[in-house]
């Protein structure tokens, strides 16, 4: 298969399997965020809830596209990390996978709602750090795409804060707007082994479904991004860019980009601005023979991928530079053609085969149906001192669904775990004040949140250097 040696094929198969395991464990963690409320309000039995959530997670991944996944892939300038030695590429992907799985499984075992997003991003950044520390490498911090790190962490940081604040706001609105009759129902604690009124039950089941669906659209794409990193690393000639036929489709986009760049008045521009312009032109010149199909050579797909990403990166830097003068129309066109993920020239690099999407969907869906109980107990019983009410459960899940949905629309990975946990915490505070939170649980969740990134980074960097030592 793909002309690989037997040992490389086995390691590739193992890496893809490990990516599925990571997504399976991701389901362990994030199932709780969707099903805790419907279980603790007796809206659904546990088995019904996890199957329902698993199916909607599956659908979310299938219909979610690959934008969030590509933001994960582009955390690292992958073309810098991959050389002609396939074992070096395998060292990279194995370090990422092992560190992400170890931390994810460990936090699940101890019942801590930890972020799979933080874990995976930390693992990828750890590989970049390890690569920067290699004696033969002189790129240093350039081994991490810091612009992309900044974009991603904006979403990861803002989502829980938004979830906490919006849950408080929504609880306030409910208290002020609904009638006393309805208020007495939705703000009461569920009766043991008794289902809520049908309209409340329907609301909670709907919000559970929305969280599950949008979790699949966001978190599932991270698994797709991880699997594409593996495939690009080990088999760049097959997966670094899309097919030659589809590659031809970006030819008109490159012509327009070159025309816009040629119109820029270069008088008075500095060295860095001119470098961005010249880099765009030289990379388009490199790409033209292939996209125009005057050359059929797509064997060096990794270099073609690098050229497309460099055009996009330099265009983004020009757009953010106030000293570069462009008309509003040209600015909008360049943004659409060069920098939008899954659109314009990025169509050639931002893709995933359907079998990858299906594999991740099944892994996440199955993980959702297994191993849910540890985290559910933490979310349902240990965040607040009082039992979860119907209003609290619905508010927290609605806020989480909206937050994750918006983040997916902006191609930003967010932590489902922290978004919904913070929503539940916000609903508890809205009911009886800050003293209604269980300090021990909040402390443990906060510690896991703070430690996830540095631990997964250090673990991944250490494993990468260890694996590179053995294969060098």
């Amino acid at each position: 298969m793909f002309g690989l040696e037997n040992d490389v094929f086995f390691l590739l198969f193992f890496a893809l399997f490990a990516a599925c395991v990571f997504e399976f464990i991701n389901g362990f963690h994030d199932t709780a965020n969707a099903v805790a409320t419907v279980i603790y309000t007796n809206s659904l039995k546990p088995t019904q809830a996890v199957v329902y959530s698993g199916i909607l997670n599956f659908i979310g991944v299938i219909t979610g596209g690959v934008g969030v996944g590509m933001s994960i892939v582009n955390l690292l300038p992958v073309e810098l990390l991959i050389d002609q030695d396939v074992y070096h590429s395998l060292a990279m992907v194995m370090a990422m996978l092992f560190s992400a799985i170890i931390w994810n499984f460990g936090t699940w075992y101890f019942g801590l709602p930890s972020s799979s997003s933080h874990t995976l991003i930390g693992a990828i950044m750890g590989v970049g750090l390890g690569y920067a520390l290699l004696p033969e490498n002189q790129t240093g911090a350039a081994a991490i795409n810091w612009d992309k790190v900044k974009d991603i962490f904006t979403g990861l940081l803002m989502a829980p804060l938004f979830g906490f604040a919006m849950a408080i706001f929504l609880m306030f609105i409910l208290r002020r707007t609904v009638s006393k009759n309805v208020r007495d129902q939705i703000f009461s604690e569920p009766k043991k082994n008794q289902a809520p009124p049908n309209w409340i039950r329907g609301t909670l089941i709907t919000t559970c479904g929305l969280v599950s669906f949008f979790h699949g659209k966001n978190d599932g794409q991270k698994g797709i991004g991880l699997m594409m990193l593996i495939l690009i690393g080990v088999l760049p000639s097959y997966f670094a860019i899309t097919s030659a036929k589809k590659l031809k489709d970006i030819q008109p986009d490159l012509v327009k980009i070159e025309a816009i760049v040629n119109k820029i008045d270069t008088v008075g521009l500095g060295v860095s601005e001119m470098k961005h312009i010249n880099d765009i032109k030289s990379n388009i010149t490199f790409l033209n023979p292939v996209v125009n199909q005057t050359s059929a050579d797509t064997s060096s797909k990794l270099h073609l991928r690098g050229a497309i990403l460099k055009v996009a990166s330099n265009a983004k830097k020009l757009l953010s530079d106030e000293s570069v003068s462009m008309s509003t129309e040209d600015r909008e066109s360049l943004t659409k053609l060069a920098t939008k993920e899954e659109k314009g020239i990025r169509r050639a690099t931002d893709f995933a085969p359907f079998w990858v999407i299906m594999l991740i969907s099944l892994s996440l869906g199955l993980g959702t149906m297994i191993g849910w109980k540890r985290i559910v107990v933490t979310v349902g019983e240990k965040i607040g001192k009082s039992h979860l009410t119907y209003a609290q459960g619905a508010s927290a899940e609605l806020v989480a669904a909206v937050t994750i949905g918006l983040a997916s629309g902006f191609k930003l990975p967010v932590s489902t775990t922290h978004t919904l946990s913070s929503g539940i915490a916000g609903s508890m505070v809205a009911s009886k004040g800050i003293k209604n939170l269980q300090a021990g649980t909040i402390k443990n969740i906060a510690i896991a949140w703070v430690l996830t990134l540095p631990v997964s980074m250090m673990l991944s960097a250490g494993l990468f250097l260890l694996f590179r030592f053995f294969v060098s």
Side-chain angles (χ1 to χ4, degrees):
M1 182 181 179
F2 301 119
L4 294 178
E5 298 175 8
N6 287 339
D7 56 343
V8 176
F9 174 75
F10 172 77
L11 289 171
L12 173 62
F13 177 83
F14 181 79
L16 295 176
F17 175 76
C20 291
V21 171
F22 170 80
E23 202 62 26
F24 186 77
I25 297 172
N26 185 3
F28 284 13
H29 267 287
D30 293 328
T31 302
N33 303 293
V35 303
T37 54
V38 290
I39 291 173
Y40 275 88
T41 56
N42 302 313
S43 298
L44 287 175
K45 292 180 180 179
T47 302
Q48 294 173 324
V50 293
V51 171
Y52 170 61
S53 179
I55 291 170
L56 284 172
N57 264 292
F58 176 87
I59 296 171
V61 181
I62 289 291
T63 60
V66 296
V68 175
M70 289 303 111
S71 69
I72 296 292
V73 171
N74 294 325
L75 256 177
L76 294 174
V78 180
E79 64 273 15
L80 291 179
L81 299 182
I82 302 169
D83 53 34
Q84 298 302 312
D85 191 332
V86 70
Y87 293 100
H88 290 177
S89 300
L90 284 166
M92 175 187 75
V93 299
M94 290 300 183
M96 287 189 302
L97 288 165
F98 282 12
S99 57
I101 289 171
I102 289 168
W103 182 255
N104 237 17
F105 186 81
T107 50
W108 164 82
Y109 182 81
F110 290 105
L112 291 175
S114 174
S115 170
S116 299
S117 304
H118 279 76
T119 305
L120 179 57
I121 290 165
I124 294 173
M125 291 177 65
V127 167
L129 177 62
Y131 183 80
L133 295 174
L134 287 174
E136 64 268 27
N137 176 52
Q138 302 298 319
T139 59
I144 298 174
N145 186 342
W146 292 108
D147 288 337
K148 183 58 67 175
V149 169
K150 181 181 176 182
D151 291 342
I152 285 175
F153 273 93
T154 298
L156 288 175
L157 178 63
M158 293 304 296
L161 298 176
F162 181 79
F164 181 82
M166 287 306 296
I168 294 175
F169 177 72
L170 191 53
M171 290 283 287
F172 175 80
I173 294 296
L174 285 173
R175 285 188 183 279
R176 293 300 178 96
T177 57
V178 300
S179 65
K180 185 178 183 305
N181 225 17
V182 174
R183 190 163 60 244
D184 289 344
Q185 281 187 309
I186 64 174
F187 284 97
S188 63
E189 292 187 5
K191 295 178 181 178
K192 190 173 182 179
N193 299 323
Q194 184 176 327
N198 286 336
W199 72 272
I200 295 177
R201 188 183 184 206
T203 300
L204 288 163
I205 292 173
T206 300
T207 55
C208 167
L210 287 171
V211 172
S212 301
F213 176 74
F214 285 117
H215 170 260
K217 286 178 76 74
N218 196 280
D219 266 50
Q221 288 191 48
K222 296 163 197 167
I224 292 170
L226 177 60
M227 193 165 281
M228 288 307 296
L229 264 177
I230 295 168
L231 292 170
I232 292 168
V234 180
L235 293 168
S237 60
Y238 288 91
F239 297 104
I241 56 171
T242 188
S243 65
K245 183 179 179 181
K246 291 182 180 178
L247 191 62
K248 185 182 178 183
D249 294 342
I250 70 169
Q251 190 269 341
D253 297 335
L254 290 173
V255 171
K256 292 175 185 175
I257 290 170
E258 191 168 31
I260 292 170
V261 171
N262 284 333
K263 285 163 63 177
I264 295 174
D265 185 0
T266 58
V267 176
L269 292 183
V271 175
S272 63
E273 290 83 5
M274 290 305 303
K275 182 178 184 303
H276 298 324
I277 290 172
N278 292 330
D279 279 352
I280 290 173
K281 291 179 179 179
S282 63
N283 281 294
I284 289 177
T285 300
F286 172 73
L287 288 165
N288 275 334
V290 177
V291 297
N292 288 322
Q293 295 197 330
T294 56
S295 168
D297 180 19
T298 58
S299 57
S300 184
K301 285 190 175 182
L302 195 60
H303 292 134
L304 294 171
R305 176 186 178 84
I308 293 169
L309 293 178
K310 285 172 187 174
V311 171
S313 174
N314 282 291
K316 188 174 182 179
K317 289 172 182 174
L318 286 178
L319 288 165
S320 64
D321 194 324
E322 294 181 359
S323 66
V324 177
S325 177
M326 275 184 272
S327 68
T328 302
E329 183 182 353
D330 283 348
R331 187 171 292 275
E332 290 176 353
S333 294
L334 188 59
T335 300
K336 181 180 178 181
L337 295 169
T339 68
K340 292 290 186 182
E341 289 170 343
E342 298 182 85
K343 296 179 181 178
I345 61 172
R346 295 288 293 273
R347 287 174 293 168
T349 58
D350 295 4
F351 74 101
F354 182 73
W355 65 266
V356 169
I357 298 172
M358 181 62 73
L359 206 55
I360 292 298
S361 302
L362 288 171
S363 300
L364 184 61
L366 289 173
T368 299
M369 298 178 191
I370 299 171
W372 52 272
K373 195 168 185 177
R374 291 177 185 270
I375 306 293
V376 163
V377 170
T378 299
V379 172
E381 296 180 7
K382 297 181 180 180
I383 290 179
K385 292 180 180 178
S386 59
H387 197 292
L388 204 67
T389 66
Y390 302 128
Q392 288 171 331
S395 297
E397 287 204 322
L398 184 59
V399 167
V402 170
T403 304
I404 300 164
L406 287 172
S408 299
F410 287 106
K411 316 298 184 189
L412 291 173
V414 294
S415 167
T416 304
T417 299
H418 291 139
T419 302
L420 196 129
S421 295
S422 64
I424 290 175
S427 72
M428 290 291 176
V429 170
S431 292
K432 297 180 181 179
I434 195 74
K435 292 182 179 179
N436 195 32
L437 296 176
Q438 293 195 38
T441 302
I442 299 301
K443 178 183 176 182
N444 288 338
I445 292 174
I447 289 173
W449 187 77
V450 171
L451 289 181
T452 292
L453 184 69
V455 170
S456 54
M457 275 186 70
M458 293 301 105
L459 187 57
S460 179
L463 288 173
F464 175 74
L465 292 172
L466 178 66
F467 293 157
R468 279 293 293 254
F469 174 78
F470 281 117
V471 300
S472 294

